Amino acid sequence: GNFTKLYMIDLGSNSLSGSIPPSINKLKNCYWFAAEDNFLNGTLPIEPGSLVSLSGLILWENMLSGTIPTALGTLPVIKIILLGGNLLEGTIPNIGVMPTLEAFIFYENLLTGTIPPFFDDMPALIAVALGHNFLNGTIPENILNPPFMVGIGLEANSLTGTIPSSIGNLKYLMGLSLHSNMLTGTIPPSIGNATNLMALELANNQLEGSLPETMSRLESLFWLSVKRNDLTGDMSFMCGVSSAFLQADCDPGESGIREIVCSCCLVCCRDGIQDSSCDGNFLPADALVKECVADGSCY
């Protein structure tokens, strides 16, 4: 706190322990505070009106606890909040208007409650990662409103309802991970308009109906998993997407009847049959987030 002219702190991947001192709020010139991959504990002592120059708050993979401070919403120029892999609990607060925020990363915490519909207040948002928490309720429709969204990760929660049909409006979307929730309904045909989509992970839900043939437009796709759902029909039209790693419920079993016909799927599953490839092997969304942060492509 005595180094008020300090403009950058980068202490990542050491063996630091203890708590973050409240004196960080005196660092009015600091634009980058990074201490990821350590053993830091305690709460995040952000105070309203402090850290007016802070652009990046990088504290993932620690042991931070407590709730998400609403004071995050008072950081006037914040672009990146990376707090995944901690022990944060409670609900996600409605943190207010954040016009500069590009990355909102809170995967693998202990968060509960619903996802607030605050995304209209985050027009610059490019990446949101809330997977592996204890969130419930439906996917807010306006999570699809930020026009430059590149990645959405909401996997391994208890989300219900349907996949919003406006998903096709995201022309820059590259990754969507929704696996291991309780989503119902059909896959919206509009998803075929998200032509930059490279990874689509929908496994382990309760989706039904057939895959829309509009998905054959997803020529950049390298990962598609719809296994462990209630989907039916023929998805062989996806075989034309030559680079895609396809996974579906296409194992005929002893009956010889397939839930889904897929001649090019590399992983075929069947209800009631345990298989490590079917019960695991999900898209590693957290690893992809780390990769895009490292190369700067998700902010």
Side-chain angles (χ1 to χ4, degrees):
N2 294 326
F3 300 95
T4 55
K5 294 184 179 180
L6 198 65
Y7 68 91
M8 182 178 182
I9 296 174
D10 193 348
L11 301 171
S13 300
N14 286 288
S15 297
L16 300 176
S17 60
S19 59
I20 300 172
S23 56
I24 66 163
N25 291 288
K26 298 179 181 179
L27 301 176
K28 62 181 181 179
N29 294 307
C30 184
Y31 79 90
W32 192 264
F33 186 92
E36 77 281 2
D37 192 22
N38 281 294
F39 301 97
L40 299 176
N41 55 35
T43 59
L44 191 59
I46 305 295
E47 297 176 358
S50 66
L51 299 170
V52 293
S53 301
L54 193 65
S55 175
L57 182 62
I58 321 296
L59 291 168
W60 56 12
E61 310 299 339
N62 278 287
M63 296 184 290
L64 298 174
S65 58
T67 58
I68 298 174
T70 56
L72 289 177
T74 68
L75 302 176
V77 295
I78 191 71
K79 288 187 176 182
I80 308 161
I81 299 176
L82 305 183
L83 283 164
N86 279 286
L87 301 171
L88 299 173
E89 57 187 0
T91 59
I92 301 172
N94 195 339
I95 51 181
V97 179
M98 304 184 76
T100 60
L101 188 65
E102 297 180 4
F104 188 74
I105 312 298
F106 286 88
Y107 69 84
E108 291 182 13
N109 276 284
L110 305 172
L111 301 174
T112 56
T114 60
I115 301 173
F118 50 24
F119 297 97
D120 287 330
D121 295 329
M122 302 175 179
L125 198 63
I126 292 176
V128 54
L130 300 173
H132 296 271
N133 279 287
F134 298 92
L135 302 172
N136 55 38
T138 59
I139 300 172
E141 186 82 27
N142 68 355
I143 198 173
L144 306 175
N145 286 0
F148 303 107
M149 187 73 81
V150 171
I152 300 174
L154 306 177
E155 71 281 353
N157 281 291
S158 297
L159 300 176
T160 56
T162 60
I163 301 172
S165 60
S166 55
I167 188 72
N169 296 340
L170 295 178
K171 60 181 179 179
Y172 298 105
L173 188 67
M174 299 174 66
L176 176 62
S177 180
L178 300 176
H179 76 77
S180 304
N181 280 289
M182 296 182 287
L183 300 175
T184 55
T186 60
I187 300 173
S190 62
I191 202 167
N193 296 329
T195 52
N196 279 311
L197 200 59
M198 300 177 68
L200 180 58
E201 178 60 270
L202 302 177
N204 201 22
N205 279 289
Q206 299 166 24
L207 301 172
E208 58 187 9
S210 58
L211 269 71
E213 293 197 19
T214 55
M215 290 178 65
S216 63
R217 303 175 195 159
L218 304 178
E219 297 180 356
S220 299
L221 205 65
F222 74 83
W223 181 286
L224 171 62
S225 179
V226 293
K227 65 191 180 186
R228 298 302 197 214
N229 277 289
D230 298 318
L231 297 164
T232 56
D234 191 335
M235 60 176 285
S236 296
F237 58 86
M238 291 302 299
C239 296
V241 184
S242 59
S243 61
F245 184 91
L246 305 179
Q247 304 178 67
D249 295 331
C250 48
D251 185 346
E254 295 181 0
S255 68
I257 300 174
R258 307 172 190 267
E259 292 181 54
I260 287 182
V261 175
C262 181
S263 59
C264 58
C265 282
L266 296 178
V267 175
C268 278
C269 306
R270 185 172 182 82
D271 289 345
I273 304 298
Q274 292 186 338
D275 184 290
S276 59
S277 296
C278 296
D279 299 320
N281 195 31
F282 299 119
L283 182 74
D286 58 335
L288 292 177
V289 169
K290 292 176 183 179
E291 181 179 342
C292 79
V293 168
D295 63 22
S297 62
C298 66
Y299 56 85

